[in-house]
Amino acid sequence: LKSFDKAIEIEDNETSQQLKGDIYQNYEKYSEALECYDRAIEICPYEINAFMAKARIYMQMDDLKSAEKIFDEAEKIDANSTLFLCEKGNFYFYQERLPEAISYYDQCLKIDDENSEALLFKAISCGMLNQEKEMGKCLDKIMEVNPLLLMELDNYLRD
């Protein structure tokens, strides 16, 4: 992190703060990561990447109210962002609110029908709801777009 601190002294921008926050998040230093993401948002308030990173941290901390507030803020900025739609789906998936999760994955897939993350989590959600036909459609699309994801799905379903 010392090299990031030096780089930020030279150029304090949204990207450098985002990357530094990501490193803190990987080491589960959540308060430090949140500070970095807040700085990234301060620098560039219309870029939702840092908002989504903050929401993920709050989810990891099991602070779902704070995560939902972040999603509300991000939705005002870009409700049609595939990143936002997929992350909001993941927010509902995490809470096992699967129909709501699927709704967000569907919105994401209307914009980008090859979004691997949305396809993967929609397939898992459909499988958990015994919606085998819809799960099969997702699996077929994953096989077409990114077959390695099927291994990830298989691992998840075995756990």
Side-chain angles (χ1 to χ4, degrees):
L1 289 175
K2 290 179 184 179
S3 60
F4 265 100
D5 288 336
K6 270 234 185 281
I8 289 171
E9 285 175 19
I10 297 167
E11 186 172 356
D12 184 19
N13 60 36
E14 183 260 340
T15 302
S16 61
Q17 289 293 336
Q18 175 84 33
L19 291 171
K20 187 176 177 183
D22 292 348
I23 291 170
Y24 278 128
Q25 183 176 9
N26 289 337
Y27 285 99
E28 298 181 4
K29 295 182 178 239
Y30 298 136
S31 61
E32 293 90 339
L34 289 169
E35 286 178 23
C36 293
Y37 297 138
D38 284 337
R39 178 68 182 132
I41 290 167
E42 180 183 314
I43 294 168
C44 191
Y46 298 104
E47 173 58 54
I48 68 162
N49 288 337
F51 286 95
M52 296 299 91
K54 279 184 70 171
R56 281 190 299 274
I57 285 178
Y58 285 125
M59 288 169 58
Q60 288 173 323
M61 295 169 60
D62 212 27
D63 183 352
L64 300 180
K65 283 188 178 194
S66 294
E68 191 153 35
K69 286 178 187 176
I70 299 299
F71 282 116
D72 291 344
E73 290 178 46
E75 188 169 22
K76 292 174 189 170
I77 296 167
D78 191 356
N80 293 316
S81 160
T82 56
L83 175 62
F84 165 75
L85 293 168
C86 196
E87 291 289 346
K88 186 75 181 250
N90 293 346
F91 173 72
Y92 288 121
F93 179 87
Y94 175 78
Q95 299 174 67
E96 296 185 19
R97 294 167 59 183
L98 301 178
E100 292 143 307
I102 290 170
S103 172
Y104 277 93
Y105 298 139
D106 283 340
Q107 290 177 58
C108 178
L109 292 167
K110 283 180 187 172
I111 297 167
D112 176 9
D113 70 338
E114 295 185 351
N115 186 297
S116 296
E117 185 174 358
L119 285 166
L120 176 65
F121 280 96
K122 182 179 177 185
I124 295 168
S125 299
C126 289
M128 292 170 73
L129 292 172
N130 296 317
Q131 297 175 353
E132 293 177 16
K133 185 175 180 182
E134 194 62 32
M135 183 176 100
K137 288 179 189 177
C138 292
L139 294 176
D140 290 345
K141 188 68 176 181
I142 291 171
M143 183 62 118
E144 176 187 319
V145 175
N146 187 350
L148 293 177
L149 272 180
L150 290 180
M151 291 180 358
E152 202 171 314
L153 178 59
D154 184 51
N155 290 336
Y156 181 84
L157 294 175
R158 288 176 193 249
D159 290 342

